[in-house]
């Protein structure tokens, strides 16, 4: 709908909106802040990818998972407020963002492949206890990552999960991890 609207800096989504489609605001490179109301129950893949000036986003309670590529390459994004009902993080959802800490809530049970790839400003990660499914390469190339704590729901650490994390010095695994 607004793909490539490079001058769009402000967005007000009214409560009448229930769906944001695939690539709806893709490459809206001047968009700075985002509030998604509780009325939105569906968000398509790539919805806000490459919104390079986006610094903060607050998501309403209408959605239960973060779609694939939702905020991928939002290189200025430092803050996302997730509702407590979010259960999943999609593939590449937060790739190449500027997070210094993860926006994970206690309700999350699954984090898919490459979800936080190249988040180079992350220094520590604590994966919540309710997470039972982790994809491959979740933290690939998070070069600032130094410390990781994996919660009690994880029984297996996937291949390449920390590939390219060149500064990782401390990993704390739960007693439930078997492989």
């Amino acid at each position: 709908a607004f793909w490539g609207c490079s001058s769009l800096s402000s967005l007000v989504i009214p409560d009448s909106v229930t769906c944001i489609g695939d690539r709806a605001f893709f490459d809206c490179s001047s968009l700075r802040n985002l509030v998604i109301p509780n009325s939105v129950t569906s968000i398509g893949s790539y919805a806000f990818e490459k919104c390079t000036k986006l610094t903060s986003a607050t998501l309403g309670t209408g959605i239960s998972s973060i779609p694939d590529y939702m905020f991928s390459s939002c290189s200025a994004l430092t803050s996302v407020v997730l509702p407590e009902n979010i259960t999943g993080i999609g593939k590449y959802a937060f790739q190449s963002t500027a997070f210094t800490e993860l926006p994970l809530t206690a309700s999350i049970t699954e984090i898919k492949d490459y979800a936080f790839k190249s988040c180079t400003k992350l220094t520590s990660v604590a994966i919540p206890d309710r997470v039972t499914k982790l994809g491959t390469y979740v933290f690939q190339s998070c070069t600032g990552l130094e410390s990781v704590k994996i919660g009690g729901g994880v029984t297996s650490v996937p291949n390449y999960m920390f590939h390219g994390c060149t500064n990782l010095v401390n990993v704390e695994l739960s007693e439930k991890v078997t492989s």
Side-chain angles (χ1 to χ4, degrees):
F2 299 93
W3 183 338
C5 290
S6 59
S7 296
L8 179 65
S9 61
S10 177
L11 173 64
V12 176
I13 300 172
D15 288 339
S16 59
V17 173
T18 59
C19 177
I20 297 172
D22 289 349
R23 294 181 172 87
F25 297 95
F26 181 94
D27 200 18
C28 290
S29 55
S30 294
L31 187 61
R32 297 192 182 279
N33 300 301
L34 174 65
V35 175
I36 296 177
N38 294 339
S39 62
V40 174
T41 58
S42 174
I43 299 176
S45 297
Y46 306 89
F48 297 94
E49 183 177 16
K50 293 182 74 177
C51 292
T52 55
K53 290 185 181 165
L54 185 66
T55 60
S56 68
T58 300
L59 308 183
T61 59
I63 60 167
S64 61
S65 64
I66 304 299
D68 296 348
Y69 295 89
M70 183 169 177
F71 293 110
S72 181
S73 300
C74 292
S75 54
L77 187 61
T78 57
S79 172
V80 171
V81 177
L82 299 178
E84 289 298 321
N85 62 310
I86 291 289
T87 58
I89 307 287
K91 293 179 182 177
Y92 297 94
F94 296 107
Q95 171 187 240
S96 300
T97 57
F99 291 143
T100 56
E101 58 185 53
L102 291 184
L104 299 178
T105 62
S107 60
I108 292 173
T109 60
E110 180 178 18
I111 302 172
K112 293 187 176 178
D113 301 346
Y114 303 97
F116 297 98
K117 178 185 180 209
S118 299
C119 291
T120 59
K121 295 183 180 185
L122 274 179
T123 57
S124 66
V125 167
I127 296 172
D129 286 336
R130 291 197 60 198
V131 173
T132 57
K133 294 180 186 174
L134 290 169
T136 58
Y137 296 98
V138 170
F139 298 102
Q140 180 187 16
S141 300
C142 291
T143 54
L145 191 58
E146 297 174 357
S147 176
V148 172
K149 180 179 180 184
I150 296 177
V154 176
T155 58
S156 177
V157 178
N159 291 335
Y160 309 107
M161 188 165 157
F162 299 102
H163 180 259
C165 294
T166 54
N167 287 307
L168 185 58
V169 293
N170 183 37
V171 176
E172 184 180 332
L173 299 175
S174 140
E175 291 178 7
K176 294 182 180 180
V177 173
T178 58
S179 65

